[in-house]
Amino acid sequence: SVPGCRGGSFMWHVNTDQGNYAIKQLSPAIDLANDSVVKKYELSETIANRFMQNGIHAASAIEQSGKHLFIFDNVGYLVYPWIDAHVLKRNQVSETHALMIAEVIAKLHIIKLDVPEMGQPRVDIHTNESIAAAIEKTLKLECASGKALKENQKTILDINDSYQAVIPFLLENTIVSHGDIDQLNV
């Protein structure tokens, strides 16, 4: 089939005598010489496979010789079983669709998937001083939101204090979920 392009990646529908497949060619802008980038793709597909093993409807790239991502001439490819589906346009997503998505996300959270390969999750921490400086910068640069940020600075800093106080609790119970609920990923 003719490839489709989205986000710099190409997708082909390939029919073979062994089945139908979707081949995703990653964007050439992705640095596949960077081992951590390759590891993230592999981990993402491993997680998708584990979700499938736990009854979550997901698509995971086919694994061959312990790998999901295949690199030829510095270009990455993922091969998936073909799924007959169509992407709804943004104005076609109804409340029923949103509830279906919420149900899947709830299932992702309920199964409490253990992924030791992920390591410790990253937590963004910003000091109150750095936040206050950023707010001052918005005023200096005359950003549209600068005045509202300054007016609400105390509340913002209180929220940051509360967030930092719960970080140890958040790290106790990490939940693996999906970070990109784009139309094509649903």
Side-chain angles (χ1 to χ4, degrees):
S1 282
V2 177
C5 181
R6 168 105 177 163
S9 296
F10 288 91
M11 189 75 79
W12 284 272
H13 179 193
V14 177
N15 298 317
T16 73
D17 58 355
Q18 297 180 354
N20 295 324
Y21 301 93
I23 300 177
K24 181 176 185 177
Q25 176 186 336
L26 302 180
S27 167
I30 296 171
D31 182 10
L32 296 175
N34 183 334
D35 196 41
S36 69
V37 170
V38 173
K39 284 181 182 177
K40 286 181 183 177
Y41 273 97
E42 288 294 342
L43 181 58
S44 177
E45 295 305 325
T46 297
I47 291 169
N49 189 279
R50 289 183 189 162
F51 279 143
M52 289 170 48
Q53 291 170 2
N54 281 276
I56 304 293
H57 295 288
S60 174
I62 296 170
E63 182 181 344
Q64 183 73 36
S65 301
K67 292 184 175 187
H68 298 94
L69 177 63
F70 301 97
I71 303 171
F72 303 100
D73 295 328
N74 298 317
V75 178
Y77 298 88
L78 297 162
V79 179
Y80 299 88
W82 181 259
I83 299 170
D84 279 321
H86 68 280
V87 178
L88 296 177
K89 293 185 170 101
R90 294 196 188 280
N91 61 352
Q92 293 176 309
V93 177
S94 67
E95 184 177 336
T96 301
H97 294 113
L99 289 171
M100 291 168 66
I101 293 165
E103 183 179 321
V104 171
I105 292 171
K107 287 179 183 177
L108 295 178
H109 293 192
I110 288 170
I111 64 173
K112 297 184 181 196
L113 188 66
D114 184 32
V115 185
E117 304 94 324
M118 282 182 53
Q120 190 67 267
R122 185 189 68 153
V123 179
D124 293 325
I125 299 174
H126 302 281
T127 65
N128 284 349
E129 292 76 20
S130 68
I131 293 171
I135 292 172
E136 290 303 320
K137 189 171 183 177
T138 64
L139 292 170
K140 189 175 186 178
L141 296 173
E142 299 179 3
C143 295
S145 59
K147 185 177 176 187
L149 289 169
K150 186 65 176 177
E151 289 171 0
N152 293 288
Q153 181 170 328
K154 181 182 178 335
T155 302
I156 294 167
L157 297 179
D158 288 345
I159 291 168
N160 188 51
D161 288 337
S162 296
Y163 164 69
Q164 290 192 30
V166 300
I167 287 174
F169 171 75
L170 294 173
L171 293 176
E172 283 179 15
N173 191 17
T174 302
I175 296 174
V176 178
S177 189
H178 197 296
D180 186 7
I181 308 297
D182 182 86
Q183 302 292 98
L184 289 176
N185 290 332
V186 172

